Amino acid sequence: MEDKGTFYFSWIIVSISFVTLALAYGVWYSFSVFFVALLKEFSWSRSMAAGAFSLFVILHSLTGPFVGIIVDRLGPRRVILLGSFFLGVGLALCSLIKTWWQFYIFFGVITAVGVGSIGWVPNTTIIQNWFKEKRGLPIGIISSGIGIGILVCIPSVQYLITWVGWRMTYRIMAISIPLI
């Protein structure tokens, strides 16, 4: 039987994973809000700008097996820390873009690796390590973080873009998300 300290700490881990997934997938789904601002500023075609998101989704999905290997070698905590660094750098660089190819590299590659490294694979690994039995509820709770992240992040990003512009919004996300 688990002692009470371990039991309560395991639910703190669930809370942290919930927030991590909310922020990671908040970045993913906030693309649609940035998309409008980028089209307005750069007059890119819709397909040109959307290509960066397509690259993001493809690379995010391809990072899964590699993130799994790295999680096995280094542990999920180190992978999440490294991923949050990549995510912060990618978002910071997105605030500096001037051409479409920079957006492809900064968002489509670097940010995708960051989101993949702090996303589903390391967080479910953490939960499986802390809960040897009855894993369904904690995995369900952290999974709902994705939906809550979309619900909270998208209007927040829209508000920030309207208030301070898309470049500053990327900078705010670049600093705040890795710190959280």
Side-chain angles (χ1 to χ4, degrees):
M1 184 171 180
E2 295 179 88
D3 66 31
K4 284 200 179 269
T6 303
F7 175 78
Y8 291 119
F9 190 72
S10 62
W11 288 103
I12 290 171
I13 297 297
V14 169
S15 302
I16 292 168
S17 289
F18 175 92
V19 171
T20 301
L21 288 175
L23 292 172
Y25 290 94
V27 169
W28 178 323
Y29 288 98
S30 68
F31 174 82
S32 60
V33 182
F34 283 105
F35 183 72
V36 173
L38 292 170
L39 290 179
K40 186 176 179 182
E41 170 126 357
F42 294 110
S43 301
W44 295 334
S45 70
R46 294 176 74 78
S47 61
M48 178 71 69
F53 184 71
S54 298
L55 180 61
F56 175 94
V57 172
I58 291 166
L59 284 179
H60 175 270
S61 65
L62 292 175
T63 61
F66 297 106
V67 169
I69 291 168
I70 297 169
V71 165
D72 286 340
R73 291 187 182 158
L74 301 177
R77 185 179 3 189
R78 288 186 181 147
V79 172
I80 290 173
L81 288 173
L82 184 63
S84 67
F85 172 76
F86 273 100
L87 182 57
V89 168
L91 292 171
L93 290 171
C94 282
S95 74
L96 304 173
I97 63 168
K98 303 228 185 287
T99 62
W100 64 268
W101 63 267
Q102 291 173 326
F103 191 52
Y104 274 58
I105 293 170
F106 302 155
F107 183 79
V109 177
I110 299 171
T111 304
V113 170
V115 170
S117 298
I118 70 168
W120 186 250
V121 174
N123 282 287
T124 55
T125 303
I126 288 171
I127 297 304
Q128 290 178 7
N129 288 340
W130 277 93
F131 292 85
K132 301 300 180 192
E133 297 174 359
K134 298 184 180 184
R135 296 175 177 156
L137 178 61
I139 288 182
I141 291 170
I142 69 166
S143 297
S144 67
I146 296 169
I148 297 298
I150 294 167
L151 180 70
V152 171
C153 289
I154 306 308
S156 300
V157 166
Q158 179 62 61
Y159 175 77
L160 283 172
I161 288 173
T162 303
W163 189 44
V164 296
W166 66 269
R167 290 184 189 275
M168 185 56 75
T169 302
Y170 268 132
R171 290 179 189 126
I172 290 168
M173 291 170 65
I175 293 168
S176 62
I177 292 174
L179 286 177
I180 293 171

